[in-house]
Amino acid sequence: MTDFFADISPIRFAPEAEDDLSFRHYDPDEVVVGKRLEDHLRFSVAWWHGFAWPGGDPFGGQTFDRPWFPDRAGGDTMAAAKLKADAAFEMFAILGQPFFCFHDADIRPEGDGFAGNTANLEEMVDYIGAKMEAGGPRLLWGTANLFSHRRYMAGAATNPDPDVFAFAAATVKTCIDATHRLGGANYVLWGGREGYETLLNTDLARERQQAGRFLCMAVEYARKIGFEGAILIEPKPQEPTKHQYDYDVATVYGFLKDFGLEGEVCVNVEQGHAILAGHSFEHELALAASLGIFGSIDMNRNDYQSGWDTDQFPNDVPEVARAYYEVLRAGGFTTGGTNFDAKLRRQSLDPVDLIAAHVGAMDVCARGLKAAARMLEDGALEAARAARYAGWDGSDLLDLDLAAIAERVEEQGLNPAPVSGRQERLENIVNRYV
Ligand code: XUL
Ligand code: CO
């Protein structure tokens, strides 16, 4: 037991509570459109923001004071990693969320090269596995951090140096192994540095081929060892690089098609990344669902003024409701879930800030999902959508050619009258629920 979260009791659903450490909207057992809220939302805590991130920004370093950080932990990095894991599982017990996610570098100390990293990862997987067996949450997904270490400064799979490609591929193997051992429901690849800073030194075509082959290797290996979870790409247009190859859902779909992976790999869609790409979260979700590649979500929000990927906890119920509306229209999560890829602001120093941030985010998501479920059950929006396209019911138009269509237009004297798109009326309907 650490004393990091001392005095904080497990969070309960208590809608009338006066304090800020109770759920007001998230009752895991509440049944919404035929499923418990916990099973709809499938909340997950991200290890990196909660326990590894020091609170830095481009103008200043560490602000957080955590006993497992190097300045307090001393030289025993493995003991520090275990202390960090102890605190993480103590927070999980307080929140009671069903899942968590990690990168290898979040849970293990940096070792001496590949062998050292692997040994450290395996030791930490044993340590965490024991905690999971003792009743901790399950693993939503694991992933490899192929962007923080300086060896990856020019990319991992897309690096001009084949030795870096090899180091990254070997590392992904160990991370798939770790995810499989811990029973992960998904494996995620986010290409943080799979892009470029300047085209002047970049062979774009070659790098794209490298990325395609790398992904094929990951899929082949995962299936070979019997990993049955979904394999997900997380699109992002830029940051840290100027341009990233997995720009958005549409780009990833084209990439998957190109390498014959569209039946194998789906997407993990992140709110903040959608905004950076010039889309909305709901656009990316609707598109992924329509292409048959919807997998999971990273829930957070960006500051709309700064233009950065600020990874804040979600707090805008209408925005979240519109996103879950698309998730529900897609049939809900199967292997995926709601991973809070969100970090505290760097002045939020106290351990209780970390708990309160998750409690608030879980409540916002519960409100959003319940609103989305009512919107769907009520059916007004879907009825309006169906009515808008009703003219196509039974139409053979798409089977004809231009000449036949021209003949028909002439024969029937077609002269279509414009109809209202009713946008404001539909927006008013949404506002009845949020
Ligand atoms: C970065 C980001 C990552 C991925 C996992 O913007 O979203 O944390 O979710 O590598
Ligand atoms: Co993310």
Side-chain angles (χ1 to χ4, degrees):
M1 264 306 264
T2 76
D3 60 359
F4 191 67
F5 294 111
D7 305 331
I8 305 180
S9 309
I11 310 298
R12 306 273 171 237
F13 174 62
E16 309 303 332
E18 299 280 318
D19 65 291
D20 70 343
L21 290 182
S22 300
F23 296 125
R24 284 176 178 67
H25 303 276
Y26 177 56
D27 173 5
D29 292 320
E30 181 179 346
V31 174
V32 175
V33 283
K35 228 161 56 173
R36 293 171 63 250
L37 261 189
E38 182 177 73
D39 301 330
H40 267 297
L41 290 160
R42 294 168 62 85
F43 286 134
S44 160
V45 168
W47 203 288
W48 50 103
H49 289 313
F51 306 104
W53 185 60
D57 72 10
F59 296 89
Q62 179 179 339
T63 57
F64 297 149
D65 177 29
R66 310 293 195 222
W68 51 87
F69 283 177
D71 59 330
R72 280 187 58 194
D76 189 345
T77 56
M78 189 53 85
K82 289 181 180 168
L83 181 64
K84 180 163 54 162
D86 292 345
F89 274 80
E90 284 162 18
M91 183 168 101
F92 301 161
I94 291 170
L95 293 175
Q97 94 288 353
F99 292 103
F100 67 98
C101 295
F102 68 83
H103 301 82
D104 52 350
D106 305 327
I107 61 167
R108 58 121 179 90
E110 196 65 29
D112 188 11
F114 176 69
N117 282 350
T118 306
N120 288 352
L121 182 64
E122 283 173 359
E123 187 171 338
M124 284 311 298
V125 165
D126 288 342
Y127 193 75
I128 287 170
K131 288 175 177 291
M132 291 168 74
E133 268 167 36
R138 287 164 286 154
L139 179 62
L140 185 65
W141 46 265
T143 188
N145 180 328
L146 304 179
F147 44 89
S148 294
H149 195 281
R150 65 193 289 273
R151 76 171 64 86
Y152 298 124
M153 68 180 188
T158 60
N159 202 288
D161 179 353
D163 288 355
V164 178
F165 180 104
F167 198 103
T171 299
V172 163
K173 177 202 170 286
T174 65
C175 291
I176 294 175
D177 286 340
T179 302
H180 188 42
R181 269 178 58 201
L182 294 175
N186 307 270
Y187 184 81
V188 165
L189 296 106
W190 170 60
R193 296 199 190 271
E194 312 297 17
Y196 59 78
E197 302 293 349
T198 171
L199 266 182
L200 295 176
N201 66 8
T202 302
D203 183 340
L204 198 141
R206 179 193 285 271
E207 292 198 0
R208 202 167 167 278
Q209 286 303 316
Q210 287 175 210
R213 183 65 195 123
F214 191 94
L215 183 58
C216 288
M217 287 179 191
V219 171
E220 279 161 21
Y221 181 73
R223 298 308 175 220
K224 197 179 94 188
I225 62 166
F227 177 70
E228 287 174 3
I231 297 175
L232 309 175
I233 293 256
E234 185 174 321
K236 186 174 182 182
Q238 73 266 333
E239 204 204 299
T241 51
K242 169 185 164 60
H243 173 85
Q244 279 166 218
Y245 297 127
D246 300 329
Y247 196 94
D248 59 3
V249 168
T251 309
V252 168
Y253 185 70
F255 180 82
L256 295 179
K257 280 288 241 193
D258 207 5
F259 292 94
L261 292 170
E262 69 274 19
E264 282 286 355
V265 177
C266 291
V267 281
N268 180 39
V269 183
E270 177 164 327
Q271 152 86 16
H273 299 181
I275 304 301
L276 280 185
H279 304 303
S280 65
F281 197 15
E282 60 266 31
H283 164 90
E284 289 289 81
L285 293 168
L287 184 62
S290 75
L291 295 170
I293 58 168
F294 170 61
S296 196
I297 63 177
D298 269 9
M299 179 59 90
N300 54 26
R301 103 188 126 92
N302 277 7
D303 184 305
Y304 288 98
Q305 256 173 290
S306 74
W308 295 6
D309 185 19
T310 54
D311 282 340
Q312 287 165 254
F313 283 89
N315 71 357
D316 182 335
V317 175
E319 189 173 62
V320 168
R322 290 194 299 274
Y324 280 120
Y325 188 70
E326 298 304 331
V327 171
L328 291 179
R329 284 186 68 221
F333 294 121
T334 51
T335 61
T338 303
N339 174 47
F340 292 115
D341 193 350
K343 57 181 177 254
L344 293 171
R345 299 306 86 196
R346 68 197 294 269
Q347 297 177 53
S348 302
L349 301 180
D350 301 336
V352 69
D353 291 324
L354 196 52
I355 304 287
H358 283 91
V359 170
M362 289 159 86
D363 255 353
V364 165
C365 290
R367 278 181 76 180
L369 186 120
K370 286 191 267 188
R374 289 196 301 274
M375 265 148 66
L376 204 60
E377 275 181 322
D378 181 78
L381 290 173
E382 292 315 308
R385 196 196 309 266
R388 188 156 185 250
Y389 293 91
W392 285 93
D393 292 347
S395 167
D396 64 350
L397 206 56
L398 299 183
D399 301 325
L400 304 183
D401 60 19
L402 286 191
I405 291 178
E407 208 172 292
R408 183 179 292 182
V409 170
E410 216 169 304
E411 249 174 36
Q412 298 183 354
L414 290 186
N415 188 12
V419 287
S420 171
R422 303 174 53 180
Q423 182 169 337
E424 295 76 7
R425 295 176 67 187
L426 297 172
E427 288 165 349
N428 292 349
I429 291 176
V430 171
N431 279 335
R432 281 192 227 149
Y433 300 95
V434 295

